[in-house]
Amino acid sequence: MENQIKQVLEEQKAYYSKGTTRDLKARKNILRKLKSEIETREKDICNALYSDFKKSEFESLLSETQYILGELKDAIKKIYSWAKPKAVSPSLINFPSSAKIIKEPYGTVLIIAPWNYPFQLAISPLIGAIAAGNTAVIKPSELTPNTANIISEIISAVFPENYVNVIQGDKDVSTALLKERWDYIFFTGSPQVGKIVYQAAANNLTPVTLELGGKNPCIIDETAKLQQAARRIVWGKFLNGGQTCIAPDYILVASEVKDKLIAFLKEEIIAAYSDNPKNSPDYPRIVNQRNFDRLADLIDYEKVTFGGQIDRTDCYISPTLITEPSLDSDVMKEEIFGPLLPIISYNTEEEISDVISKYEKPLSLYVFSSRKNFSNKVMNQFSYGGGAINDTIVHFVNKRLPFGGVGQSGIGAYHGNLTFDVFSHHKSVVRRGTWLDIPLKYAPYEGKLNLVKKLKNFI
């Protein structure tokens, strides 16, 4: 496998050196071809996602294929404006001159995709990488093999192998890939694996984007519209079976409305998935038995107020509400990444801060409140990747907003034109005029010291 990876990398570097990928018209045409192939294979993609973890066709369209088609449409429409050199004001000290920023591709990039949104999170960064003029290798997750196969088929139908290549395999393949010298690495996954990727990239000083996760708090005060809040939380939490990096990880609710909120959450879960979510065509499964076992071990049945049904043979865990778990309990130690929702009450705003500050900076934060001052205070007080007031996860879909973490929840941000920028090196170019050459900067410097001190006003 290592020899195969080396060969793929060498072939892509050779292809990139020819300059073919730098042609903007060619980039636009290949993105159009990718869009057409995804549209043709959309049903196959949905079937693959269902085969991997029973993801419904609606969720597959909403969060995977249609999202990607929207990104492709945007990139095709705007690629020329994204790539256009940007003129900036020249420095007076360089007079006469002009200055601009040129966006150039890095070269050959590696994209390591996760299993939770296996199609979207493989193709979304690829769109930016190709639009920016790079070649790419995609490593899809081995935990969703059917989707990985579809990705491979689509890429093979659209791109020459020395342009974009899909390499499948387990963590040993990922390790082998990370031993090579890439021009850029884009990784989506857990903070634990993100650290491994970062360390490998550091060996070659390779720039990275790390899209990770964390314990995302969801704060609900006594003025929130509780039934609406419950509906939006249930949607954001249990979408994709809770296997979403920006899903609410736990609720912090004002103690006087906790019981009402729990009652509404129960109602909304039943409304969405029926009395028996196992039979709902809209409720996915845990991706594999290893992740099922991890989640099942987090359930403290003495704290379960709703749900808690499990079936290992089907990798099924029902939407589960857990009330007042200890902050030192297993379910509160790390990101849950599944359909378990702890609910913790608070009495003062200081208690909110005490809980959130116990954990690393999260990828997302949510607050439900009718008090504008309170919600703004919360959103400004804490550090997190992105968030929403009076809803959950919706900030992800706005391509005009950067998406990414901070600290342990990630490095860098993308979406829309930012994805193009992620895969572009922004280089500075100054063009000096030749009709004038002020001698101040040249030696000898005798008698010029006072003039140099005054230059600070012109830099």
Side-chain angles (χ1 to χ4, degrees):
M1 177 56 70
E2 289 187 5
N3 290 335
Q4 178 189 345
I5 290 171
K6 288 180 183 296
Q7 182 179 351
V8 168
L9 184 56
E10 289 173 1
E11 289 176 354
Q12 287 207 357
K13 286 186 178 295
Y15 186 77
Y16 176 78
S17 68
K18 293 179 180 178
T20 306
T21 67
R22 290 175 175 263
D23 183 271
L24 276 172
K25 185 177 180 180
R27 296 186 218 173
K28 187 170 184 175
N29 286 338
I30 202 78
L31 289 173
R32 282 175 170 157
K33 189 175 180 182
L34 177 60
K35 180 173 179 286
S36 176
E37 185 67 18
I38 291 173
E39 288 171 337
T40 300
R41 301 296 302 274
E42 187 170 37
K43 185 67 175 179
D44 295 333
I45 297 165
C46 292
N47 290 340
L49 289 161
Y50 184 84
S51 297
D52 283 329
F53 57 110
K54 292 189 177 180
K55 187 165 185 170
S56 71
E57 183 175 5
F58 182 88
E59 284 196 10
S60 295
L61 293 172
L62 177 70
S63 64
E64 306 262 8
T65 59
Q66 287 297 307
Y67 178 86
I68 287 299
L69 290 171
E71 284 209 327
L72 278 164
K73 181 180 178 181
D74 195 49
I76 292 165
K77 179 181 179 181
K78 299 177 180 177
I79 186 170
Y80 286 104
S81 62
W82 290 351
K84 186 178 180 181
K86 179 182 178 182
V88 299
S89 299
S91 171
L92 284 176
I93 200 171
N94 286 332
F95 181 83
S97 70
S98 62
K100 62 182 176 181
I101 300 170
I102 297 176
K103 299 177 182 180
E104 69 172 6
Y106 279 104
T108 297
V109 306
L110 172 64
I111 298 169
I112 302 179
W115 52 262
N116 60 325
Y117 290 88
F119 185 78
Q120 181 213 127
L121 296 178
I123 304 301
S124 180
L126 176 69
I127 294 168
I130 297 305
N134 301 277
T135 64
V137 169
I138 304 173
K139 164 60 177 69
S141 174
E142 70 276 16
L143 301 187
T144 47
N146 295 288
T147 307
N149 288 337
I150 287 292
I151 291 172
S152 182
E153 291 171 10
I154 289 171
I155 295 303
S156 296
V158 174
F159 298 93
E161 285 190 358
N162 53 2
Y163 193 171
V164 180
N165 200 301
V166 176
I167 296 180
Q168 298 193 52
D170 58 15
K171 64 179 181 179
D172 292 334
V173 172
S174 296
T175 300
L177 285 164
L178 290 170
K179 288 180 180 178
E180 300 301 324
R181 184 171 183 172
W182 304 90
D183 296 304
Y184 202 96
I185 297 174
F186 192 105
F187 170 80
T188 307
S190 69
Q192 292 79 11
V193 181
K195 292 176 183 179
I196 296 172
V197 173
Y198 205 15
Q199 289 170 351
N203 291 329
N204 293 310
L205 295 180
T206 301
V208 299
T209 294
L210 302 178
E211 296 296 337
L212 310 177
K215 290 196 76 66
N216 307 318
C218 182
I219 302 158
I220 301 166
D221 79 353
E222 66 279 6
T223 70
K225 296 182 178 180
L226 294 178
Q227 185 161 18
Q228 183 184 77
R231 183 180 303 117
R232 293 176 177 181
I233 291 168
V234 165
W235 172 71
K237 174 62 180 180
F238 301 111
L239 180 79
N240 210 47
Q243 300 162 118
T244 303
C245 58
I246 56 173
D249 196 84
Y250 63 98
I251 287 175
L252 287 170
V253 58
S255 57
E256 60 261 47
V257 297
K258 184 186 86 168
D259 291 342
K260 287 183 179 179
L261 175 69
I262 291 174
F264 284 131
L265 287 170
K266 293 176 181 178
E267 286 182 13
E268 294 299 333
I269 291 171
I270 293 171
Y273 304 113
S274 80
D275 289 317
N276 187 2
K278 189 176 184 181
N279 294 331
S280 170
D282 301 317
Y283 189 69
R285 297 300 185 259
I286 307 306
V287 70
N288 62 10
Q289 289 187 337
R290 182 174 63 84
N291 279 276
F292 171 90
D293 291 339
R294 177 186 63 81
L295 289 165
D297 289 343
L298 297 180
I299 300 174
D300 179 355
Y301 283 93
E302 291 185 2
K303 300 290 185 179
V304 170
T305 189
F306 183 83
Q309 292 81 30
I310 63 175
D311 181 352
R312 190 173 190 271
T313 60
D314 193 30
C315 287
Y316 168 77
I317 297 179
S318 67
T320 300
L321 306 179
I322 300 172
T323 56
E324 304 295 351
S326 166
L327 296 184
D328 296 320
S329 62
D330 290 341
V331 78
M332 292 301 296
K333 286 181 179 177
E334 296 179 350
E335 181 183 13
I336 294 170
F337 218 70
L340 314 179
L341 182 56
I343 301 168
I344 299 169
S345 59
Y346 71 86
N347 294 299
T348 66
E349 291 183 18
E350 289 74 19
E351 291 178 18
I352 296 175
S353 182
D354 289 343
V355 174
I356 293 177
S357 62
K358 184 178 176 66
Y359 305 103
E360 298 285 353
K361 297 175 182 179
L363 184 56
S364 295
L365 183 146
Y366 308 107
V367 58
F368 287 81
S369 174
S370 295
R371 294 185 293 155
K372 189 174 182 179
N373 288 341
F374 173 75
S375 57
N376 286 342
K377 179 181 177 182
V378 168
M379 301 307 276
N380 291 328
Q381 179 179 356
F382 302 104
S383 181
Y384 53 92
I389 298 170
N390 292 325
D391 211 337
T392 62
I393 78 173
V394 292
H395 60 294
F396 181 89
V397 301
N398 188 340
K399 59 180 176 290
R400 289 167 289 277
L401 291 174
F403 178 79
V406 58
Q408 294 289 306
S409 59
I411 297 172
Y414 72 120
H415 280 189
N417 68 298
L418 284 175
T419 314
F420 183 97
D421 288 344
V422 159
F423 290 102
S424 303
H425 167 60
H426 293 208
K427 62 184 181 184
S428 307
V429 176
V430 172
R431 179 184 293 276
R432 288 294 313 278
T434 57
W435 58 272
L436 180 67
D437 199 14
I438 299 172
L440 177 64
K441 68 180 180 182
Y442 302 114
Y445 301 127
E446 184 179 355
K448 299 179 180 178
L449 186 60
N450 289 333
L451 285 172
V452 168
K453 290 180 179 179
K454 293 178 181 179
L455 284 177
K456 66 178 183 293
N457 298 320
F458 301 97
I459 295 177

